[in-house]
Amino acid sequence: MFQYIVRRILIAIPVLFGVTVFNFFIVNLAPGDPVEMYINPDATEQDIAIKKEALGLNDPIYVQYWHWLVNILKGDFGNSFTTYEPVINMISERVFPTLLLMGTALIIAYLIAIPIGIISAVKQYSWTDYLTTTFSFLGVSIPSFFLGLGAIYIFSLILQVLPTGGMNTLGGSSGFFDTFLHLILPAFVLGTGIAGSMVRYVRSSMLEVLGQDYLRTARAKGLKEFVVTNKHALRNALIPIITIIGMDIPLLIGGAVVTEQIFQWPGLGQLTIQAIGSRDYPTLMAINLLAAVSVLLSNLLSDVLYSVADPRIKYT
């Protein structure tokens, strides 16, 4: 297992290098000049040239990339074009809120999807199956921004039981319960989309397993149907489900961008929108690189979880 993990990490190095190239050139080839957004409208051409020189924007793009890559290897992501604050500090302040939101959303998604998917498979072609399938289609089809605005309207404006946005109440105690109340809506909105697609995967995987001979043997031995389904069948059905976990991370990251903006959640998603709007290239490139690393690590984690779910899987 250890050798396999080391090998996967070594394979990830050239992948990350390719990501840095693509990331840097795509961001810097975007239309618009960041200097024009921050400099005084009365500034002369000489003032603009001085500002570009100070930011290193006058160098050829491959030189800019080389300097950026060398600094990245040193742990220096540069300074923001908007706040002039080190990018690493801005990201470190936003990582925990995003991890809290994404982790809670993922837990909610699987707490919803796995039981519903199992019930749908066991009750195949029943009204329960049709009802759960309808739920999954609705979860996938409804855009997160529409669901988020609807949730704010119902639970915050009409019922007035949950806050409209933010992570803490302004001027409040900022305690655990206050953060929990602010987390409920964005986590459920983000988790619902993941749960909608996951129900279909769980159902399909369970249907493949439920017809296996070893489950008939387990029933013939007198085991209760609950034990047969939730212990023997579910564990083998987890293999394709674990694969989907690695695919859910990019969906969570993309969904967090929209959800955090709707609920004004102070995470990386909101910072991404701000960086795009202000052409803050260093911040945007750092966030993209962090997202790529997250996807690679989640795929590695999925491979490791295979052997946990099924001891027959060995890595050599």
Side-chain angles (χ1 to χ4, degrees):
M1 173 67 76
F2 177 75
Q3 293 180 351
Y4 173 80
I5 293 175
V6 172
R7 207 160 49 238
R8 283 294 303 269
I9 293 175
L10 293 176
I11 293 174
I13 293 176
V15 175
L16 275 178
F17 175 75
V19 169
T20 62
V21 175
F22 184 81
N23 179 24
F24 185 88
F25 282 90
I26 288 297
V27 170
N28 281 274
L29 290 176
D33 190 344
V35 174
E36 295 178 357
M37 299 191 65
Y38 313 122
I39 202 161
N40 192 312
D42 299 328
T44 63
E45 291 294 332
Q46 183 179 4
D47 294 332
I48 296 176
I50 292 174
K51 185 65 175 179
K52 287 185 177 181
E53 184 66 30
L55 295 176
L57 298 178
N58 284 334
D59 296 329
I61 191 168
Y62 59 88
V63 175
Q64 296 181 42
Y65 169 75
W66 174 251
H67 291 159
W68 178 74
L69 181 62
V70 170
N71 290 332
I72 288 293
L73 296 176
K74 295 178 182 178
D76 180 12
F77 289 87
N79 294 331
S80 168
F81 284 173
T82 56
T83 64
Y84 304 103
E85 183 182 355
V87 172
I88 189 66
N89 293 346
M90 297 173 61
I91 290 180
S92 62
E93 294 172 357
R94 304 275 188 144
V95 165
F96 174 72
T98 293
L99 289 179
L100 178 63
L101 176 60
M102 290 174 56
T104 307
L106 197 60
I107 292 173
I108 290 172
Y110 281 91
L111 287 178
I112 294 174
I114 292 179
I116 290 179
I118 293 173
I119 294 172
S120 180
V122 173
K123 305 290 185 180
Q124 187 182 17
Y125 301 133
S126 66
W127 67 269
T128 305
D129 184 22
Y130 294 130
L131 185 64
T132 55
T133 303
T134 302
F135 162 77
S136 67
F137 280 120
L138 288 175
V140 174
S141 303
I142 299 177
S144 58
F145 68 86
F146 180 82
L147 187 62
L149 293 175
I152 291 174
Y153 178 73
I154 294 173
F155 293 100
S156 300
L157 300 181
I158 296 180
L159 300 179
Q160 297 183 357
V161 294
L162 293 172
T164 58
M167 188 173 176
N168 300 108
T169 303
L170 293 176
S173 60
S174 301
F176 171 80
F177 185 70
D178 184 47
T179 303
F180 175 75
L181 290 178
H182 285 78
L183 179 64
I184 292 175
L185 285 184
F188 266 95
V189 168
L190 188 57
T192 299
I194 302 296
S197 60
M198 181 55 58
V199 166
R200 294 179 297 168
Y201 289 113
V202 176
R203 179 183 181 276
S204 176
S205 182
M206 285 295 295
L207 286 175
E208 291 181 6
V209 174
L210 287 174
Q212 298 294 323
D213 292 337
Y214 71 91
L215 291 184
R216 298 192 187 97
T217 303
R219 294 189 183 96
K221 290 168 62 177
L223 293 178
K224 295 182 178 180
E225 189 63 27
F226 180 85
V227 176
V228 172
T229 302
N230 294 280
K231 182 178 180 181
H232 298 282
L234 179 59
R235 184 160 187 174
N236 287 319
L238 283 177
I239 301 301
I241 297 173
I242 290 173
T243 304
I244 305 303
I245 294 177
M247 298 172 59
D248 282 343
I249 301 300
L251 294 176
L252 279 172
I253 295 174
V257 173
V258 178
T259 305
E260 288 184 8
Q261 186 68 13
I262 293 173
F263 291 96
Q264 293 301 298
W265 188 262
L268 291 174
Q270 190 183 59
L271 183 61
T272 301
I273 296 295
Q274 294 172 359
I276 293 173
S278 59
R279 298 193 183 100
D280 191 353
Y281 294 165
T283 303
L284 189 57
M285 291 186 296
I287 294 174
N288 290 341
L289 184 60
L290 181 62
V293 172
S294 301
V295 172
L296 291 174
L297 290 178
S298 64
N299 288 330
L300 176 60
L301 179 62
S302 298
D303 288 346
V304 173
L305 289 177
Y306 288 151
S307 61
V308 176
D310 191 345
R312 296 172 299 176
I313 297 177
K314 302 294 182 182
Y315 295 107
T316 59

